[in-house]
Amino acid sequence: KKINAAQGMFIRLLAQNGLLAEQEQSALLKLNTCLQKTLTDPRGRWILSHQHQAAESELALTALLNGKPQNLVIDRTFIDPITHIHWIIDYKTTDYQGNKPEEFLKHAMQQHQQQLNRYAQALLLDTQYYARQTRCGLYFPLTSLWCEWKFTEVSITESSQ
């Protein structure tokens, strides 16, 4: 019900983000599909849970990383109240249809690890995240695929090589 009620808002947001009018219907269909699948997937519901601490969606921040200002937007970040792990999650709308999901996820992780590690590095400048275990994850709502890794300072060095 809530997804259907939000269609007008979705169209306005898509237009505000530069979507051309002729792309509107296909983008809206994909957005609705992603939302519906996320809400029916246990991991998707966990990611969006209201039980998390310090939860933020579309968190925009600017951080000085390696001596350069970086403007970042983090899809989802929170602290799991049970494990106390700080999570940084990036949504990916790729609709993987192959039969080798492990290879696909390995490639996706290699492709996006540096980006999420920058997010982690920026958030660790905030004392509420400092000294917590931080994990990064990629969530593919169209297929419920997921991969994750533990962020360490070493992962910054490795992913930038």
Side-chain angles (χ1 to χ4, degrees):
K1 279 184 173 179
K2 288 183 181 180
I3 293 174
N4 289 337
Q7 296 305 296
M9 179 187 66
F10 293 158
I11 291 170
R12 284 189 302 279
L13 288 170
L14 290 169
Q16 287 173 2
N17 285 290
L19 191 74
L20 301 174
E22 58 267 17
Q23 298 171 315
E24 185 178 283
Q25 285 308 309
S26 64
L28 193 57
L29 177 64
K30 191 171 197 175
L31 175 61
N32 286 323
T33 302
C34 285
L35 286 170
Q36 289 165 350
K37 287 190 172 202
T38 299
L39 294 174
T40 59
D41 177 42
R43 185 172 313 274
R45 287 193 311 275
W46 169 74
I47 290 169
L48 296 176
S49 171
H50 294 291
Q51 303 300 314
H52 298 308
Q53 301 163 346
E56 297 280 351
S57 296
E58 295 298 315
L59 175 63
L61 55 101
T62 300
L64 192 63
L65 302 176
N66 303 319
K68 299 177 187 169
Q70 304 265 328
N71 294 315
L72 309 168
V73 179
I74 302 171
D75 288 349
R76 182 78 171 151
T77 185
F78 56 84
I79 298 169
D80 186 293
I82 297 169
T83 64
H84 305 288
I85 293 172
H86 171 224
W87 284 94
I88 298 169
I89 297 172
D90 204 47
Y91 304 115
K92 299 297 176 193
T93 57
T94 304
D95 189 9
Y96 177 72
Q97 297 296 317
N99 58 3
K100 297 181 180 176
E102 297 83 14
E103 287 182 28
F104 168 76
L105 290 172
K106 182 179 177 184
H107 176 71
M109 188 175 110
Q110 290 169 344
Q111 185 177 2
H112 299 288
Q113 188 172 18
Q114 186 174 5
Q115 170 194 359
L116 271 72
N117 286 345
R118 270 195 316 274
Y119 296 167
Q121 188 181 17
L123 285 174
L124 286 174
L125 298 172
D126 185 328
T127 56
Q128 75 174 324
Y129 301 114
Y130 191 74
R132 288 188 184 270
Q133 180 184 355
T134 298
R135 295 191 68 79
C136 300
L138 298 175
Y139 179 62
F140 297 81
L142 291 173
T143 57
S144 299
L145 290 174
W146 166 261
C147 67
E148 66 182 72
W149 62 92
K150 181 179 179 181
F151 169 79
T152 62
E153 292 294 328
V154 174
S155 33
I156 294 173
T157 308
E158 289 174 352
S159 65
S160 62
Q161 293 178 358

